[in-house]
Amino acid sequence: MFMQSENIPLFPEQASTFAWQVDYLFFYITAICLFFGLGVVLVVLAFAYKYKEQKKFASPRNIHGSLVLEFTWTAIPFVLAMSIFVLGTIVFHNLYSMPQDATEIFVVGKQWMWKFQHGTGQREINELHVPVGRKIKLTMTTEDVIHDVYIPAFRTKADVVPGRFTYLWFEATKPGKYRLFCAEYCGLNHSGMGGWVYVMEQKDFDSWLSGTDADKTPVQAGEDLFNNKLGCASCHAGGDTQRGAKLEGIFGKEVKLVGGNTAQRDEQYLRNSILNPGGQVVEGYQPIMPTFKGQVTEEQLVSLVAYIRSLSPDAASAPSTGSGNGTGTETESEDKAGDDQGDK
Amino acid sequence: MDNVETNNGGQQEQELNYLNNGHSVRSWLLTRDHKRIALLYVLSVSFFFLVGGIYAGLLRVELLTPQSDLFEAATYNRIFTAHGVIMIFLFLIPAIPATLGNFFVPLLIGAKDLAFPRINLLSWYLYMGGAGLAVWALMQGGVDTGWTFYAPYSTTFSNSYVVMTGLGAFVVGFSSILTGLNFIVTIHTMRAPGMTWFRLPLMIWSHYATSLIMILGTPVVAITIVLLALERIARVGIFDPSIGGDPILFQHLFWFYSHPAVYVMILPAMGVMSELVANFSRKRVFGYEFVAFSSIAIAVIGFLVWGHHLFVSGQSFYAGMVFSILTMIVAVPSAVKVFNWTATLYQGSLSFDTPMIYAYGFLGLFLVGGLTGLFLGTAGMDIHLSDTYFIVSHFHFVMVGGTVMGYLGGIHYWWSKMTGRHYSEFWGKISAMLVFIGFNLTFFPQFILGYLGMPRRYASYPEEFQVLNIFSTLGASVLGVGYGLPVIYLTYSFFFGKKADDNPWKLPGLEWRTSSPPPTENFKETPIVTWEAYDFSEDNGIEIERTPETEVQPSS
Amino acid sequence: MSEANIDHHHHPPGLQHQFEDMEQQQDSAIIGMWVFLAQEIMFFGGIFTAYLVFRYQYPMAFAAGSNHLDAFWGFVNTLVLIVSSLTMALAVLYAQRGNRNMQVAMIILTMLFGTAFLGVKAVEYKAKYDTGLIPVKGLNKVVKETDAEKKETASLLPFETKVSAAAEETGDKKKAYINPKGEFQWNYGEELVELGEKEGMLTEAEKIGYYSNGKIDPSKFRDKVQIFYWLYFAMTGLHALHMVVGLIIMTWLLIMAWRSTYSAEYYAPVEVAGLYWHFVDIVWIFLFPLLYLLGRHFIAGGGGH
C-alpha cells in the first residue's frame, strides 16, 4: 500500500484472495443497512412533516397495532439477517480453514515486536517477505501477552495467544508493501508493534531469500536494522518510559554493571550486549533483553555497531562529558528497571 | 373509579414535596426516598460523565497528529483505560436505571417507593464506594489494561493499579445488582391496584428486562474480577498460561457479562424512547406487546451472544458460527422496536419539544449503531473489523448515541416533574441538535478509519489516517459543547427556572397525576388504574384541556 | 380490587411505610430473596465454570488433587449441613406456628451445626497448611531442613487414600518433607501421567500440559494440581464466607426470635433467612462431589475402570 501521506484513502487496498469476498460481504450488508436505515429515516421525516401537531394536546385516533405488520417486519429482517449470516459464515469458513498445501511461516509475538521465521531458516523482525500467489500459513504464538496479527490489505487477522498456537492463512495477489498491525492491546508500545508485509514476485522473493541486502552504508544499514528489521527501537528509543537503555552518547564511556564491575562501552561491548545481553547488565536495568544470536549476521552486527557508534559523535574526543546528542539527559536511574514490566 | 385526579394544578405552592421535606445534609445522605436517591445518582453519574468526557477530549486531542506527541504512549494507555472504566462502570451502566429508573419506576406503577428503600440507599453508597476506589486508583497512577482487563496482560504484565480498579468495578457491580433486585421485586409486588402487566408503561418493561441482566450477568463479572485480582496477588494460574491458566476463559467469563451489559445500557434508553415517542405523538405505542416482549427477548437472547467478541480469539469454527447466528437473531427484536416507534408516529400529533428532538436523534443514531452491529456479528466480516475503529464507532453509536440521547431525553422529559421547574426550551433544542451533529461528525469518520484498518487503542498511527482523525476531533469539540450546555441551563433552571404545572403536556401517565415535584409518598391516595398505558382518549381519567393557546413552555 | 387500600388506620407492627399491607411486604421479601439467590447462583456459576473448564482439560491432575482432600471430613460436613437444613426448616415451621421456644431452640441448633461445619473446615484447612497444599507461596507451614528429621514424610491424613499403587512401589514416599519457603508441595504425578498415557486416557490438553520436550514434566503437572487447589480454596472459601454471613443473620434472627417478634402473621424474616441458609447448603451439596469425590476412584483403583 504505497499511500502517500497527502492522499486520504477511503477504502483499503485489496491484496489477498479473499479481500474481494470480504468487500462484497461488506457491500451486501451496507446495502441492507442503507435499505433499512434510509427507509426508516425517510418514513420518520415524512411523518414528522405530515403529522406535525396542528393543535397543542390534541388526541389523535388511537391505533393499537397490526399483527400482520408485526409479523412482516419481524420476518423480513430475520430473513435478511439469516442471509447475511450464511454469506458471512461462508467467508468465515474460507478464512478459518487452513489449506493443506500452504507454506508455513512461524510467528512469535512479544512485547513489542513480531518475529518471523521462514521454513528455510531466514528470520525477520517486524517485516515479512512473502511471494505473490502462494498460500502462506502463519503458525503463531507469543512469549508474553495476547497480540494479534492484522494485515488490513488482506482483510484478515487472528489473535496470537500465549500458551497455544493459533493460525492464519492468506494468499497475496498483488506485489507491494502492506501494513502489519498488532490489533490486540498489548501494553505500553502497542501502537508501535507493527511493520510491513512485502509481497514479491517469486523471482524477487527467491533472490531475497538468498539474502543480498541493498547497498547501503553500514550506518544506514544499521539504522534500518535498529529501527525496523530488528525492532531495537521499540525498547531503546521510547522516550522516558522505555525499557532499555538510551543509546545516544553512550559510546566510549565507562559504565557500572550489575555486580559491581565496570566496563568500557566499546565495539566489543556492544557486540557482546547484542549477542549475549545477560552477560553485562548495566546497573539499574533488568536482564530482559532477548538474545539476538542467530538472528543477526556478522555483517548486520557490524552495521548495528556502526550505527550505535554514530549516535555518539563526540565519543572519540571526550568520553567523560555529560550526555551526547541524545534528546534528553541520560539518567540510568534505578527506577527505570521494571518500569513497565513489574514481574517479568 | 374512573376519575383519579389525586391532585392537579400548581396551586399548592407551600405543600410539602420530596425536595423541601427536610433540608439538612443528613436528610439527603440518609434518605430512603427513591426520588432523593435518584437525584444523588443524577449528580454523581453526571459528574463521572464529565470526568470521562474530559478523558475522551484528551484522547481526541492526542489523536490529532499521528505521533504520540501530546502524551507518552504510557499516558495515552492510561487515559483510554480511565475513559472506558469511568464511562462504562460509573456512567453508562447506572446512567438511566439508577437515575430515571430509580425516580420513575415507583411513580409509573403507582407505588410509594421501591420495595427496599434501605437497599436502594445502600446501592448508592456502594456505587460511591466503588467509584472512590476507582478514582483512588486513578490518582495513584491509573490503570493501563483497557477497560476489558484482558489476561494475561492484566494479571501478570501490567504494572498499574489493576486490583484497586477491579475492586472498584466489583463494588459498583453490587450496587447495580441491588438496583436490579429492587426493580424486579418492586415491579412484581408494588404495582397499584389495577396496574396489570399489560398496562405498565414500556419504561417499566425495559427496566424489568434490564434488571434481569443486572441480576444474572453482574455476578459473573464480579467473580471473574475476584479471580483476576487473586491471580494477580497470589500468582496462581487461572488465566495466565505461563502458570497453567487459560486466557480465553477470562474472555468468555468477561464477555458473558459485558456483552449483556451493553443491553443494560441500551434497554433503559429504549424504555425512555418508548415513553417519548408515545407521549409526544399523543398516541399509544404501536404494537405495545411486541415492544414489551422485544425487551425481554433482547435480555434473554443477549445472554447467548457473548462469543461474538471472540471471533478472532481462536475459538472453534462452530462456536463462531453459533454465536454469529444468535447475534443475527438478537438484532431482530431491536429492529421490531424501531419499526414500532416509527409506526407510532403515523397519524400522531407530533410535537417538536426538546425531549422529542432527543428521541428523533436517538432513532437516527441508534439505527446506525444497531445496523453496524450487523457487520460485527457477521463472523467473516468481523475478522477484518474487530479491534479497529469500526468497532469503536459502532459501540459509541449504540452506547453514547443511544444511551446518552435516551438519558438526556428522559431528563428533559421528566425535568418538570423532578424539579417542578421548566428549563429553557430554546437552549434545550440547540444543545440537542449540537449533540446530534457533533456526534455524527465525531464517529462517522471512525467507520471509514476502521474499514481502512486503523486498530483501536493506538497512541500513534500511520500518517494516512490523519485527515479522518482531524474530522473526528473537530466533531468531538462540537459534541463537547452540546453536552456541556445542558449542565448549565439545567442547573440554572433548578434554582431559577419558571415554575411548572403538575402536568404541562397533559399526559395520561401516573407520574403526571401527582404534584410536581411529587410528595415524599408519591401519591396522596394510592391510585387505582383503570386505563391502558398511553391512553389519550377522552375518558381516560385525566382532564385534557383543549386550549391550544396555552403556552406551556417559555421559549427562552 | 380496592379493598387493600381502603382502610389505612390498621397498621400492623413491622409493616414498612412503602407497603400497603403485610401480604405485599411478605411477598416482596420472599421474591427479593429469590432474586438475590438467582444472583448468587450466577456468582458461584462463574467459578463453577472455571472449575469445569479446567477439569475438562486436566482430569488427571484434578483427580490427583481431589485424592488429597479428606473425603471423610467432607462427608461429615455434608451430613452436618443437611441436618442444619432440617433444623432451619423446623425453625420456619415453629415461627409460623408462633412457638417461640421451639423456634429459638431450632435456630440455636442450626447455628451449632453451622459452626461445626466451619470448625471441620478449619481442621481441613489446617491439614492443607501443614502438608503444603495451599496454592500460594508463603502461606504454607515452613518446615526447615533441620526440622525435617522429626517428620518422616508428607504424611497422608488418616482417611486419605494412598496416592497410587505405583507411588508406593517406588518407595519415594519416605522422602523427608521439607518446605523452607512455605511453597505449594506436590511430589507425585509422574506415575499417574504414565499410567494415563498407557491407558490412552490423557486429554489433548494433558498431552501438551504435562510434558516438556516430549518428557513428563512433574513441575508442569504440579501447576495443574495447583489450579485444582486454587479452585478448591476459592470455592470452599467463598462458601465458608457465605456460611459466616449466614451465622450473622442467624444471630440476628435469634435475638428477634428471643423477643418473640415473629408470629403466624409476621414470619417473613425467618422464611427469607431460611431460603438463604438452604441455598448455602445446596452449594455445598454441589461442591462436595465435584471437589472431593469425582475421579477418586480412578486413582484409588489404580486403573481406568
Side-chain angles (χ1 to χ4, degrees), chain A residues 23 51 53 57-62 64 70 96 145 150 157 159 164 179 182-183 185 190 341 343, chain B residues 77 144 156-157 246 282 284 287 312 315 340 347 349-350 383-384 386-387 451 457-458 464 536 546:
Chain A
D23 286 345
Y51 303 115
E53 64 186 353
F57 315 132
S59 286
R61 190 168 66 89
N62 228 353
H64 261 244
E70 297 290 348
Y96 197 95
V145 302
Y150 178 33
K157 74 158 70 72
D159 275 9
R164 62 174 74 177
R179 283 208 186 269
C182 173
Y185 176 67
H190 169 54
Q341 270 225 305
D343 350 30
Chain B
N77 295 345
D144 65 350
T156 309
F157 291 85
D246 185 347
R282 307 193 69 75
R284 182 182 162 84
V312 295
Q315 69 180 0
N340 277 301
Q347 290 195 348
S349 170
L350 308 187
I383 301 282
H384 177 54
S386 76
D387 281 312
Y451 202 76
R457 297 174 171 173
Y458 264 31
E464 62 257 31
F536 283 88
R546 309 260 171 229

Side-chain angles (χ1 to χ4, degrees), chain A residues 1 5 8-12 22-23 25-26 29-30 33 36-37 40-41 43-44 47-48 51-53 55-67 69-70 73-74 77-78 81-82 84-85 88-89 91-93 95-96 111 144-146 148 150 152 155-159 161-164 179 181-188 190-191 193 238 240-241 338-344, chain B residues 72-74 77 80 144-145 150-153 156-157 159 241 246-248 251 281-284 286-287 290 312-313 315-317 320-321 324-325 328-329 332 336 338-340 342-343 345-353 360 363 367 371 374-375 378-381 383-388 448 451-453 455-460 462-465 467 504-506 536 544-546 548 552:
Chain A
M1 202 198 275
S5 58
I8 310 165
L10 292 175
F11 203 79
V22 174
D23 286 345
L25 187 61
F26 180 75
I29 307 175
T30 308
C33 290
F36 279 116
V40 169
V41 166
V43 170
V44 168
F47 286 171
Y51 303 115
K52 187 176 184 334
E53 64 186 353
K55 183 172 83 161
K56 273 268 171 230
F57 315 132
S59 286
R61 190 168 66 89
N62 228 353
I63 306 169
H64 261 244
S66 151
L67 219 53
L69 269 179
E70 297 290 348
W73 65 45
T74 308
F78 180 77
M82 286 305 113
I84 297 175
F85 163 72
T89 304
V91 176
F92 184 46
H93 186 259
L95 288 156
Y96 197 95
Q111 284 176 326
D144 35 49
V145 302
I146 301 176
D148 184 301
Y150 178 33
R155 308 286 188 280
T156 189
K157 74 158 70 72
D159 275 9
V161 184
R164 62 174 74 177
R179 283 208 186 269
F181 291 116
C182 173
E184 182 63 64
Y185 176 67
C186 59
L188 178 65
H190 169 54
S191 54
M193 183 173 171
D240 288 341
T241 49
D339 212 11
D340 322 305
Q341 270 225 305
D343 350 30
K344 267 274 146 155
Chain B
E72 295 284 341
N77 295 345
F80 77 66
D144 65 350
T145 60
Y150 267 20
Y153 183 71
T156 309
F157 291 85
N159 202 20
D246 185 347
I248 305 299
Q251 298 181 17
S281 317
R282 307 193 69 75
K283 272 180 71 213
R284 182 182 162 84
F286 192 90
F290 288 86
V312 295
S313 301
Q315 69 180 0
S316 80
F317 174 74
M321 216 169 97
S324 179
I325 196 167
M328 289 294 138
I329 290 172
V332 175
V336 167
V338 170
F339 294 139
N340 277 301
T342 310
L345 303 180
Y346 176 68
Q347 290 195 348
S349 170
L350 308 187
S351 118
F352 288 87
D353 293 335
Y360 291 128
L363 208 57
L367 260 177
L371 288 170
L374 287 177
F375 292 89
T378 313
M381 194 73 243
I383 301 282
H384 177 54
L385 294 176
S386 76
D387 281 312
T388 66
I448 305 171
Y451 202 76
L452 284 170
R456 65 194 284 207
R457 297 174 171 173
Y458 264 31
S460 56
E463 286 179 357
E464 62 257 31
F465 300 142
V467 176
W505 282 297
K506 312 291 173 240
F536 283 88
I544 293 180
E545 290 170 41
R546 309 260 171 229
V552 278

Side-chain angles (χ1 to χ4, degrees), chain C residues 63-136:
Chain C
S66 167
N67 206 44
H68 267 234
L69 293 181
D70 196 331
F72 173 78
W73 281 123
F75 178 68
V76 169
N77 256 352
T78 311
L79 279 186
V80 165
L81 278 194
I82 289 174
V83 177
S84 84
S85 258
L86 174 69
T87 55
M88 185 68 232
L90 289 174
V92 177
L93 180 77
Y94 287 119
Q96 279 169 329
R97 292 189 182 165
N99 185 337
R100 172 191 171 259
N101 291 345
M102 281 308 281
Q103 187 189 336
V104 167
M106 285 303 150
I107 291 174
I108 290 175
L109 269 181
T110 311
M111 288 177 70
L112 278 179
F113 284 123
T115 316
F117 175 90
L118 289 176
V120 170
K121 213 69 230 153
V123 170
E124 284 189 77
Y125 281 2
K126 173 69 168 54
K128 303 290 167 280
Y129 168 80
D130 285 341
T131 50
L133 287 175
I134 294 175
V136 180

Side-chain angles (χ1 to χ4, degrees), chain A residues 1-5 7 13 175-178 196 198-199, chain B residues 464:
Chain A
M1 202 198 275
F2 296 102
M3 283 299 173
Q4 260 72 60
S5 58
N7 286 354
E13 209 164 337
K177 184 184 175 194
Y178 306 104
W196 298 94
Y198 294 89
V199 177
Chain B
E464 62 257 31

